[in-house]
């Protein structure tokens, strides 16, 4: 993507936007050695592990592993794409964007003009709302319980019920009629007459993630004769009307309200998705800040990607019917496939979040807080209340559940869900499992292929000795090893050059989850020594990291390893080792200590993984003796492994 900008120009852009200054606008930085530190804006922390290197013009967080140059920082903190971040920085520094091809220039000009006319139109609608003409619309807002403050926050406006209000205003403001048509604000009627698209409607400006208006949605006021505008239209006016697609706006690519919600979405790690404008406004008024509207029931892939950029968890807050259809059909599969944790908020029958939030804000918040994990919600919908009493209803429920479970791609996950559902249906798990597998066979899906969680990708059943192998690059977020453990290992290697050199060849880059650390290890192996990295031969980013590792900038992050090494030394295993000094300075440690460290980094990750799957293992264990004796043996072996990895044991084994 950087390809469309000349490298020298990007260099100039970086020079003109000092990383320390740009980051200072978002993070309070304190000087530390040759750099600066602060609290990381990308993860929650109390002690600063976010470092900025003015010389290298790089930032890096030793807590979460995020890092990069000033462009990367702007992309992350403002939720921008690369070209957007580049454009933002260019404007900040007053540097013109590089000359591009003619088509690109035309396209950019079109976008710029459209942005301008949208900004102008939003302001026209807004002023109209708060003018004398807008009284009817303000009364409607009051009726719907929308406060003035909320209306202002969302830039709400009003299109008067006349056929040419915006055209007259445009003439006065010198906005070209052709541009109004290109923006979709004016349409041509059947009589060939230019007519305002939005007439007698409450206007919701739709913004991109940066808060620039790119389209409008208009809602009729529920007042008789509100949308007449003196124009004969062929069909009755639809309740909602949107801008057409333009160079700025594609349907299904935006989330309404994202520019206002994104900071809290990032902070809370979760987004609430509602269906319509009003749900969004009402929930904001009820004190829910992390809410966006999908403006349509099924989320599009583009919207799912957008959500994923900001938060790992998504709470669906559609009205009861829509949510039910989506959750029990394939409507939410996209979210799950994208690896997002999906929850579904349950509303009283026949009510949507807007109704509930207006009547009782506290209840709306509570219902969001109690949103059910997707499968729990699905089961409650599929099984229903009648299933416990009536045998026929129960048979139907079992069939519905079996069909839903047959779609779950991972066998292990399917097994756990079968257990859960069987409990709810009060039937033996084996009989439900049979039905599920039969359904799968009927639908031509593969049978039990062994343990494969293809969706989360965390386990891969390989045939190498029948071992279940964690795939380090794809661990689910809950079991990921903290980046600081990886950082402290690399810091150790950088600060103990002699032993570090010996260690380099023993390292496997794939052990490292943080991409920058993986590259660091690869570069260490490629160059065989730290020196080339320090002098910038392997690139600025690695140079900044190497400098930080050597200078001890990340010295406070060695907690876990310090403890492990200290512990090992007490048992006399780390011969001639740090003697408890661990990662941070002290006497130089030996090659064996380094080995021990590497081993512990792996062991620690495996323990975390195994701990996370303990529940799953227990579930398996209950059903396996009768069904899959091979896997049962595997579990026993894993338990053995866990026992061996316990710190005390590990030390014994090392001795
Ligand atoms: Zn961080």
């Amino acid at each position: 993507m950087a390809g469309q900008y000349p490298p020298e120009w990007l260099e100039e852009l970086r020079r003109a936007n000092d990383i320390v200054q740009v980051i200072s606008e978002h993070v309070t930085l304190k000087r530390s050695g040759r750099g600066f530190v602060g609290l990381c804006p990308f993860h929650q922390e109390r002690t600063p592990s976010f470092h900025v290197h003015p010389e290298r013009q790089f930032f890096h967080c030793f807590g979460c592993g995020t890092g990069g140059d000033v462009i990367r920082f702007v992309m992350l903190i403002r939720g921008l794409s690369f070209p957007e971040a580049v454009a933002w920085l260019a404007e900040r520094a007053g540097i013109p964007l590089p000359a591009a091809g003619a088509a690109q220039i035309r396209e950019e000009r079109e976008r710029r003009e459209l942005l301008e006319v949208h900004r102008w139109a939003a302001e026209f609608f807004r002023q109209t709302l708060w003018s004398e003409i807008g009284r009817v619309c303000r009364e409607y807002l009051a009726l719907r319980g929308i406060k003035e403050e909320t209306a202002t926050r969302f830039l709400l406006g009003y299109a008067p019920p006349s056929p040419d209000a915006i055209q007259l205003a445009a003439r006065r403001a010198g906005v070209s009629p052709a541009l109004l048509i290109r923006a979709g604000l004016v349409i041509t009627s059947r009589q060939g007459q230019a007519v305002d698209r939005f007439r007698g409607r409450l206007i919701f400006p739709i913004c991109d993630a940066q808060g620039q208006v790119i389209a409008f949605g208009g809602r009729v006021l529920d007042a008789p004769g509100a949308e007449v505008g003196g124009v004969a239209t062929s069909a009755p006016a639809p309740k909602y009307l949107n801008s057409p697609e333009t160079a700025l706006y594609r349907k299904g690519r935006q989330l309404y309200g994202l520019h206002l919600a994104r900071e809290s979405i990032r902070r809370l790690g979760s987004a609430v998705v509602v269906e319509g404008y009003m749900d969004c406004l009402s929930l904001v008024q009820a004190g829910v800040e992390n809410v966006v509207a999908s403006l349509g029931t099924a989320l599009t892939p583009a919207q799912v990607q957008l959500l994923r950029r900001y938060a790992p968890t998504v709470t669906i807050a559609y009205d009861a019917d829509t949510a039910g259809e989506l959750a029990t059909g394939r409507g939410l599969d996209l979210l799950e496939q994208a690896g997002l944790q999906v929850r579904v908020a349950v509303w009283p029958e026949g009510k949507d979040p807007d109704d509930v939030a207006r009547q009782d804000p506290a209840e709306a918040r509570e219902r969001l807080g109690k949103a059910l994990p997707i499968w729990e919600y699905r089961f409650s919908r599929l099984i229903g209340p009648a299933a416990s009493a009536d045998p026929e209803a129960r048979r139907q429920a079992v069939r519905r559940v079996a069909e839903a479970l047959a779609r779950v791609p991972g066998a292990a996950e399917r097994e756990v869900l079968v257990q859960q559902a069987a409990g709810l249906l009060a039937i033996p798990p084996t009989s439900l499992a049979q039905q599920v597998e039969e359904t799968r066979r009927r639908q031509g899906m593969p049978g039990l292929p062994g343990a494969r969680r293809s969706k989360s990708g965390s386990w891969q059943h390989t045939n190498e000795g029948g071992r279940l192998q964690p795939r380090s690059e794809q661990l689910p977020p809950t079991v990921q090893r903290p980046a600081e453990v990886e950082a402290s290992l690399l810091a150790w290697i950088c600060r103990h050059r002699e032993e570090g050199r010996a260690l380099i060849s023993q390292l496997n880059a794939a052990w490292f989850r943080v991409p920058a650390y993986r590259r660091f290890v690869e570069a260490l192996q490629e160059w065989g020594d730290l020196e080339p990295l320090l002098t910038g031969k392997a690139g600025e980013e690695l140079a900044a990291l190497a400098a930080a590792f050597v200078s001890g900038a990340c010295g406070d992050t060695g907690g876990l390893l310090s403890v492990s090494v200290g512990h090992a030394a007490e048992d006399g295993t780390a011969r001639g080792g740090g003697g408890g000094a661990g990662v941070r300075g002290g006497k130089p440690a030996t090659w064996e200590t380094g080995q021990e460290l590497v081993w512990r980094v792996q062991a620690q990750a495996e323990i975390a993984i195994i701990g996370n799957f303990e529940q799953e293992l227990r579930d398996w264990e209950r059903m396996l003796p009768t069904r899959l004796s091979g896997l049962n043996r595997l579990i026993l072996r894993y338990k053995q492994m866990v026992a061996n990895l316990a710190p005390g044991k590990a030390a014994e084994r090392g001795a």
Side-chain angles (χ1 to χ4, degrees):
M1 223 195 282
Q4 68 190 82
Y5 305 95
E8 325 74 76
W9 185 85
L10 282 176
E11 255 330 295
E12 190 195 335
L13 182 76
R14 291 194 190 93
R15 258 200 310 279
N17 289 282
D18 179 62
I19 195 164
V20 177
Q21 273 179 25
V22 173
I23 291 182
S24 299
E25 289 162 18
H26 301 272
V27 180
T28 311
L29 292 176
K30 270 202 218 109
R31 189 162 262 290
S32 157
R34 276 148 68 178
F36 295 86
V37 292
L39 292 174
C40 176
F42 306 116
H43 85 280
Q44 294 273 4
E45 64 174 6
R46 268 183 243 140
T47 49
S49 45
F50 182 83
H51 290 254
V52 184
H53 314 279
E55 283 163 39
R56 300 284 181 189
Q57 290 288 305
F58 262 87
F59 74 96
H60 188 86
C61 171
F62 291 98
C64 66
T66 310
D69 64 359
V70 68
I71 302 174
R72 177 99 188 121
F73 180 82
V74 171
M75 284 169 72
L76 291 172
I77 199 91
R78 307 187 74 93
L80 302 180
S81 65
F82 186 86
E84 286 167 342
V86 165
W88 188 86
L89 284 168
E91 192 176 328
R92 181 181 182 276
I95 300 177
L97 285 166
Q104 204 177 337
I105 290 175
R106 247 197 327 275
E107 196 181 305
E108 268 163 24
R109 186 189 303 137
E110 173 74 358
R111 282 180 57 88
R112 204 174 48 242
E113 286 181 0
L114 284 174
L115 277 175
E116 248 159 55
V117 73
H118 276 86
R119 187 163 47 210
W120 170 81
E123 181 55 22
F124 165 74
F125 290 137
R126 193 193 64 80
Q127 281 181 9
T128 312
L129 173 63
W130 302 106
S131 74
E132 185 50 37
I133 308 169
R135 181 193 299 273
V136 56
C137 189
R138 293 202 298 277
E139 280 164 4
Y140 171 76
L141 285 176
L143 204 70
R144 296 290 304 251
I146 300 298
K147 293 176 197 151
E148 207 178 305
E149 177 197 338
T150 316
T152 307
R153 185 172 151 88
F154 282 87
L155 295 173
L156 298 194
Y158 177 55
S162 104
D164 56 2
I166 202 161
Q167 296 174 75
L168 292 174
R171 202 168 304 156
R172 282 194 301 274
V175 174
S176 100
L179 188 55
L180 286 182
I181 289 176
R182 291 214 306 279
L185 287 162
V186 168
I187 50 177
T188 311
S189 76
R190 279 186 300 172
Q191 291 80 24
Q193 183 191 1
V195 176
D196 289 7
R197 172 183 296 264
F198 299 105
R199 302 180 302 279
R201 284 174 184 265
L202 167 61
I203 298 290
F204 300 91
I206 300 170
C207 298
D208 62 12
Q210 288 73 255
Q212 306 188 96
V213 180
I214 54 170
F216 297 99
R219 190 199 192 287
V220 288
L221 309 182
D222 293 330
E227 211 235 6
V228 193
V231 181
T233 43
S234 50
K239 199 158 130 189
Y240 284 99
L241 190 67
N242 274 354
S243 294
E245 300 209 333
T246 63
L248 292 180
Y249 173 66
R250 300 257 149 66
K251 265 180 88 170
R253 298 205 134 249
Q254 270 75 37
L255 290 162
Y256 178 72
L258 181 62
H259 64 296
L260 299 171
R262 61 183 190 169
E263 278 316 311
S264 43
I265 291 177
R266 210 197 310 266
R267 185 161 31 83
L268 299 167
S270 94
V272 174
V273 179
V274 295
E275 205 178 331
Y277 304 106
M278 283 298 183
D279 298 320
C280 183
L281 266 52
S282 292
L283 280 184
V284 167
Q285 289 192 156
V288 181
E289 293 261 302
N290 55 331
V291 57
V292 293
S294 57
L295 304 182
T297 43
L299 284 161
T300 65
Q303 288 174 324
V304 171
Q305 286 313 313
L306 205 50
L307 284 168
R308 224 168 67 120
R309 258 158 87 175
Y310 294 94
T313 304
V314 168
T315 300
I316 296 297
Y318 292 167
D319 70 51
D321 290 343
T322 316
E325 271 168 41
L326 287 178
T328 52
R330 287 166 192 254
L332 301 182
D333 287 4
L334 273 180
L335 287 171
E336 287 185 280
Q337 280 156 15
L340 287 158
Q341 303 273 345
V342 186
R343 291 178 165 266
V344 182
V346 182
W347 309 101
E349 207 59 47
K351 289 194 176 175
D352 54 29
D354 177 32
D355 302 323
V356 179
R358 262 187 298 155
Q359 277 157 20
D360 188 348
E363 190 193 337
R365 289 194 301 272
E366 197 184 317
R367 282 178 182 272
L368 287 174
K370 286 186 180 160
L372 297 175
I374 180 95
W375 275 103
E376 215 171 291
Y377 177 78
R378 279 185 178 136
F379 288 147
S380 76
R381 297 281 303 196
L382 293 167
I383 294 170
S388 56
D390 174 13
E392 177 51 30
R394 185 143 95 198
R395 243 193 313 280
Q396 294 289 331
V398 170
R399 189 186 45 78
R400 285 193 298 268
V401 168
E403 271 170 13
L405 288 178
R407 291 209 316 263
V408 176
E413 191 178 353
R414 216 157 54 231
E415 296 278 7
V416 174
L417 290 170
V418 162
Q419 290 279 331
Q420 198 183 339
L424 295 168
L425 287 160
I427 58 170
T430 43
S431 98
L432 180 59
Q434 251 162 35
Q435 284 221 33
V436 172
E437 295 311 321
E438 263 164 40
T439 311
R440 284 176 69 79
R441 263 197 302 282
R442 249 201 336 271
Q443 297 176 354
M445 294 185 215
L448 266 180
R452 214 166 70 86
R453 290 171 64 102
S454 57
K455 198 170 50 164
S456 67
S458 56
W459 291 97
Q460 194 91 21
H461 185 82
T462 69
N463 287 328
E464 300 158 29
R467 274 187 52 141
L468 273 176
Q469 296 194 331
R471 309 221 343 213
S472 53
E473 73 275 25
Q474 290 177 329
L475 299 182
T478 45
V479 298
Q480 275 172 355
R481 174 174 54 243
E484 48 199 332
V485 174
E486 299 177 359
S488 47
L489 174 62
L490 293 179
W492 185 91
I493 287 170
C494 293
R495 273 174 243 161
H496 303 89
R497 300 276 189 102
E498 276 302 304
E499 298 79 12
R501 233 196 311 275
L503 248 180
I504 291 170
S505 59
Q506 309 288 317
L507 291 174
N508 180 347
W511 295 341
F512 293 80
R513 178 175 62 81
V514 176
Y517 299 158
R518 261 204 308 269
R519 284 196 296 277
F520 195 86
V521 171
E522 280 161 3
L524 270 178
Q525 290 174 337
E526 191 186 326
W527 297 91
D529 190 30
L530 186 64
E531 212 51 44
L533 273 68
L534 274 171
T535 52
K537 281 192 183 130
E540 291 295 300
E541 182 187 14
L542 298 186
L545 272 180
F549 287 143
V550 169
S551 69
C554 61
D556 286 332
T557 59
L560 187 128
L561 287 173
S562 302
V563 172
S564 321
V565 176
H567 178 89
E570 274 161 35
D571 291 304
T573 46
R575 286 180 296 274
V583 176
R584 246 178 298 166
K587 278 181 275 175
T590 60
W591 186 84
E592 282 92 342
T593 320
Q595 281 276 306
E596 174 86 10
L597 283 174
V598 176
W599 185 76
R600 278 184 186 280
V601 170
Q602 281 178 283
Q604 197 258 348
E606 299 222 351
I607 288 174
I609 293 161
I610 289 162
N612 194 57
F613 283 91
E614 222 167 57
Q615 180 57 45
E616 198 168 332
L617 288 174
R618 267 202 294 277
D619 288 337
W620 281 12
E621 208 176 10
R622 263 207 305 277
M623 58 188 172
L624 283 176
T626 53
R627 304 194 60 223
L628 296 162
S629 53
L631 275 177
N632 199 24
R633 278 200 300 278
L634 202 71
I635 286 164
L636 290 177
R637 226 166 72 199
Y638 254 78
K639 289 200 141 181
Q640 192 74 42
M641 209 177 105
V642 177
N644 283 340
L645 287 174
K649 287 269 183 175
E652 275 169 38
R653 212 173 60 168

